[in-house]
């Protein structure tokens, strides 16, 4: 096979119920260029490894697996994409999709490559997704009304879910000198998005081309929404993340990062049932935010109604 134009990069762990759908979404891509599939399996114990090997046997020149003798996450390793997958990528562009998500448009890669080739000043592009909760598709929440260029402020304020990980495509050249601090954080997608947005323009495609499993077993959202202590720990780590990314971007967007921190502090005080402080931070953010569902919900319902809901949810 000639050198790939796109390296499809994926990481997985115990995604046996989902991994076939993920791989099939890669294999159905119709392109006028070659691509490769690099998938890192972190010592799955549920049959995921065997499924990947089955696909490798069918497509040995296309799928390039990475297997480990020990579970890397349990050893404290973070930044799986950067440490294991990106170094093996040979493509001009990288497209991401984790093992429990999948693509639904066979022209996804072609559309994104066509745009990136025609606009070399863009470091990243992304698109809409469907949210799958259990076996039910959630209501689609469109970020904008049309395809458009996105300012870095929106990427920072929007958080990790603003640019769905399974929708991302970016140029390899922009991650060749990424500071190690960006990839050593507890999550990889959000800091990567901020970093890329600081290096070039970002384009949003108003096309639904992937599915994001929300609250699926073994997913990040499943763990954070089932355990309040874990959620509070994540919030503390997110505050550290924002400080690091503010420094990485030379403090050019200090005010924007402060706005995002206000949201995390609002969530933190709600989780602690410290409603007086929660209200203080809500008052700092509710007039300024336009791009995230929680803030839109607060605007519609008002703080007092939110307090009643949170009191009920926190005590469940």
């Amino acid at each position: 096979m000639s050198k790939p134009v796109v390296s499809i990069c994926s990481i997985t762990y115990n995604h046996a119920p989902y991994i076939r759908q993920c791989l099939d979404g890669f294999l159905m891509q119709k392109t006028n260029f070659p691509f490769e599939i690099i998938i890192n399996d972190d010592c799955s114990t549920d049959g995921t490894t065997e499924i990947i090997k089955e696909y490798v046997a069918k497509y040995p020149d296309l799928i390039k697996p990475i297997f480990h003798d020990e579970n890397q996450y349990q050893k404290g390793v973070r930044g799986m994409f950067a440490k294991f997958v990106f170094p093996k990528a040979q493509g001009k562009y990288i497209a991401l999709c984790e093992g429990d998500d999948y693509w639904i448009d066979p022209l996804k890669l072609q559309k994104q490559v066509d745009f990136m080739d025609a606009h070399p000043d863009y470091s990243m592009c992304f698109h809409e997704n469907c949210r799958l909760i259990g076996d039910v598709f959630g209501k689609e929440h469109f970020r904008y009304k049309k395809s458009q260029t996105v300012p870095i402020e929106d990427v920072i304020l929007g958080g990790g879910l603003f640019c769905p990980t399974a929708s991302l495509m970016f140029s390899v050249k922009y991650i060749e000198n990424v500071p190690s601090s960006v990839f050593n954080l507890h999550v990889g997608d959000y800091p990567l998005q901020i970093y890329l947005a600081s290096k070039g323009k970002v384009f949003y495609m108003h096309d639904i081309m992937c599915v994001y499993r929300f609250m699926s077993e073994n997913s990040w959202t499943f763990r954070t929404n089932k355990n309040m202590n874990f959620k509070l720990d994540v919030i503390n780590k997110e505050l550290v993340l924002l400080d690091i990314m503010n420094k990485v971007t030379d403090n050019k967007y200090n005010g924007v990062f402060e706005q995002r921190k206000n949201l995390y502090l609002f969530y933190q005080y709600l989780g602690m049932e410290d409603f007086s402080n929660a209200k203080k931070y809500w008052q700092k953010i509710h007039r300024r935010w336009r791009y995230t569902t929680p803030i839109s919900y607060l605007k519609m319902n008002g703080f007092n109604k939110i307090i009643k809901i949170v009191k009920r949810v926190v005590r469940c």
Side-chain angles (χ1 to χ4, degrees), residues 81-100:
F81 275 122
K83 287 183 173 63
F84 304 117
V85 186
F86 292 166
K88 295 184 179 296
Q90 300 182 63
K92 178 181 179 182
Y93 304 113
I94 286 178
L96 300 184
C97 185
E98 297 183 355
D100 55 343

Side-chain angles (χ1 to χ4, degrees), residues 189-206:
D189 53 357
Y190 185 31
L192 176 62
Q193 292 162 21
I194 295 173
Y195 181 80
L196 289 169
S198 72
K199 296 301 178 182
K201 296 180 182 178
V202 176
F203 191 73
Y204 160 80
M205 292 183 170
H206 197 60

Side-chain angles (χ1 to χ4, degrees), residues 61-94:
D61 296 326
L62 188 59
I63 302 177
K64 303 170 183 179
I66 301 170
F67 300 117
H68 301 277
D69 295 329
E70 297 179 86
N71 182 280
Q72 299 301 301
Y73 190 88
Q74 292 178 357
K75 291 172 63 177
V77 176
R78 299 296 181 265
M80 301 293 181
F81 275 122
K83 287 183 173 63
F84 304 117
V85 186
F86 292 166
K88 295 184 179 296
Q90 300 182 63
K92 178 181 179 182
Y93 304 113
I94 286 178

Side-chain angles (χ1 to χ4, degrees), residues 221-234:
T221 51
F222 181 85
R223 284 181 288 161
T224 55
N225 283 279
K226 289 293 184 181
N227 187 317
M228 180 55 68
N229 288 331
F230 183 75
K231 181 179 288 187
L232 291 173
D233 180 57
V234 168

Side-chain angles (χ1 to χ4, degrees), residues 255-273:
V256 185
F257 279 102
E258 285 300 314
Q259 279 294 300
R260 185 70 193 176
K261 288 173 69 174
N262 286 339
L263 178 66
Y264 285 131
L265 289 168
F266 166 71
Y267 284 148
Q268 185 180 61
Y269 285 117
L270 283 183
M272 295 166 61
E273 298 191 62

Side-chain angles (χ1 to χ4, degrees), residues 28-270:
M28 75 173 182
Q29 292 300 303
K30 298 177 180 179
T31 65
N32 59 15
F33 53 80
F35 59 85
E36 63 178 352
I37 300 168
I38 308 172
I39 182 166
N40 181 86
D41 176 44
D42 196 15
C43 284
S44 294
T45 59
D46 68 342
T48 299
T49 305
E50 289 68 29
I51 295 172
I52 294 172
K53 289 180 178 179
E54 174 191 325
Y55 275 76
V56 172
K58 292 181 180 179
Y59 307 95
D61 296 326
L62 188 59
I63 302 177
K64 303 170 183 179
I66 301 170
F67 300 117
H68 301 277
D69 295 329
E70 297 179 86
N71 182 280
Q72 299 301 301
Y73 190 88
Q74 292 178 357
K75 291 172 63 177
V77 176
R78 299 296 181 265
M80 301 293 181
F81 275 122
K83 287 183 173 63
F84 304 117
V85 186
F86 292 166
K88 295 184 179 296
Q90 300 182 63
K92 178 181 179 182
Y93 304 113
I94 286 178
L96 300 184
C97 185
E98 297 183 355
D100 55 343
D101 299 328
Y102 61 99
W103 297 343
I104 55 177
D105 188 339
L107 298 177
K108 168 195 155 63
L109 291 184
Q110 187 68 59
K111 292 177 183 178
Q112 291 187 291
V113 167
D114 287 346
F115 177 84
M116 295 293 282
D117 277 349
H119 302 84
D121 54 333
Y122 281 73
S123 58
M124 176 178 74
C125 67
F126 70 102
H127 55 76
E128 286 294 351
N129 69 333
C130 283
R131 179 172 290 191
L132 182 59
I133 307 173
D135 295 324
V136 180
F137 283 100
K139 185 177 179 181
E140 294 158 6
H141 173 67
F142 293 99
R143 288 147 186 79
Y144 302 100
K145 295 181 179 179
K146 61 180 181 180
S147 297
Q148 64 182 75
T149 300
V150 177
I152 185 174
E153 289 83 359
D154 290 9
V155 176
I156 296 170
L157 290 177
L161 296 179
F162 181 74
C163 304
T165 303
S167 76
L168 290 179
M169 178 178 284
F170 54 90
S171 176
V172 169
K173 68 181 181 181
Y174 289 107
I175 62 166
E176 291 175 349
N177 298 305
V178 179
S180 60
S181 58
V182 173
F183 288 125
N184 287 331
L185 295 162
H186 68 291
V187 293
D189 53 357
Y190 185 31
L192 176 62
Q193 292 162 21
I194 295 173
Y195 181 80
L196 289 169
S198 72
K199 296 301 178 182
K201 296 180 182 178
V202 176
F203 191 73
Y204 160 80
M205 292 183 170
H206 197 60
D207 295 6
I208 297 175
M209 296 194 279
C210 67
V211 172
Y212 167 58
R213 293 185 195 273
F214 185 77
M215 290 296 290
S216 61
E217 190 172 355
N218 288 323
S219 70
W220 182 258
T221 51
F222 181 85
R223 284 181 288 161
T224 55
N225 283 279
K226 289 293 184 181
N227 187 317
M228 180 55 68
N229 288 331
F230 183 75
K231 181 179 288 187
L232 291 173
D233 180 57
V234 168
I235 288 173
N236 286 327
K237 290 177 179 176
E238 293 287 327
L239 294 170
V240 173
L241 180 158
L242 292 175
D243 284 335
I244 290 174
M245 294 312 300
N246 195 17
K247 293 176 182 177
V248 167
T249 55
D250 299 322
N251 298 310
K252 291 180 180 178
Y253 309 99
N254 185 60
V256 185
F257 279 102
E258 285 300 314
Q259 279 294 300
R260 185 70 193 176
K261 288 173 69 174
N262 286 339
L263 178 66
Y264 285 131
L265 289 168
F266 166 71
Y267 284 148
Q268 185 180 61
Y269 285 117
L270 283 183

